[in-house]
Amino acid sequence: MTRKPVDNSVQQSQPHEDHFLGQWACSLSVIIFLIAFGLSGQILPRFVSNQCTSEQGMCTPGDCTCPFPLMKRDLVTQDAQACSQCVEEFCPAVVEGETGCSTTACECEDPSWPRIDVGSSDKPCMQCVHPHVDVTL
């Protein structure tokens, strides 16, 4: 019995192409993972800014940012460290007796200023009043 020669050129090229495509798929998935992990701040924290807290009564020391639409309020801790907090909106800063106010939730830009409700019980309207400065001697 004689054997027929088999043409393996097509069969040999197919496994090589599958191996090549597998290497590309693996390499691409590793690159995507590294990019996603890097953007999360775990590998490259100096390129990703820190987010300020929005918790009432708390602030974040150092440089930080607030996500849109929140605004950044700069504060100072009791031990004189600069820190920041994210707030929804700043109330209008007015002199006592003025009528400008905000009907949405807001905070005073300077936390030492009193926040006063000049609206009604049905419709609150907040404003931050500059404290009176006595300049008499």
Side-chain angles (χ1 to χ4, degrees):
M1 190 159 41
T2 61
R3 293 186 158 195
K4 293 182 183 178
V6 178
D7 184 16
N8 291 333
S9 62
V10 174
Q11 292 174 352
Q12 289 176 353
S13 67
Q14 188 68 25
H16 178 68
E17 288 177 11
D18 287 343
H19 181 68
F20 182 72
L21 291 175
Q23 284 179 336
W24 271 104
C26 183
S27 300
L28 185 61
S29 60
V30 167
I31 289 171
I32 290 172
F33 174 78
L34 288 176
I35 289 171
F37 196 67
L39 290 176
S40 73
Q42 301 298 320
I43 295 175
L44 305 170
R46 62 185 166 167
F47 297 121
V48 178
S49 61
N50 192 16
Q51 185 170 331
C52 303
T53 185
S54 58
E55 295 291 322
Q56 185 70 13
M58 304 205 45
C59 63
T60 304
D63 290 333
C64 61
T65 59
C66 293
F68 182 79
L70 298 179
M71 304 170 88
K72 184 176 171 182
R73 174 167 67 169
D74 294 320
L75 302 168
V76 178
T77 62
Q78 292 177 346
D79 54 344
Q81 281 189 337
C83 64
S84 301
Q85 179 187 44
C86 295
V87 296
E88 290 181 32
E89 183 181 332
F90 291 123
C91 298
V94 298
V95 177
E96 192 171 347
E98 288 186 20
T99 58
C101 62
S102 174
T103 56
T104 60
C106 61
E107 298 287 332
C108 294
E109 192 164 359
D110 185 339
S112 66
W113 296 351
R115 186 175 63 171
I116 298 173
D117 184 2
V118 294
S120 64
S121 59
D122 297 340
K123 188 175 177 185
C125 196
M126 306 303 274
Q127 64 179 204
C128 295
V129 179
H130 290 272
H132 178 69
V133 178
D134 187 12
V135 291
T136 60
L137 294 173

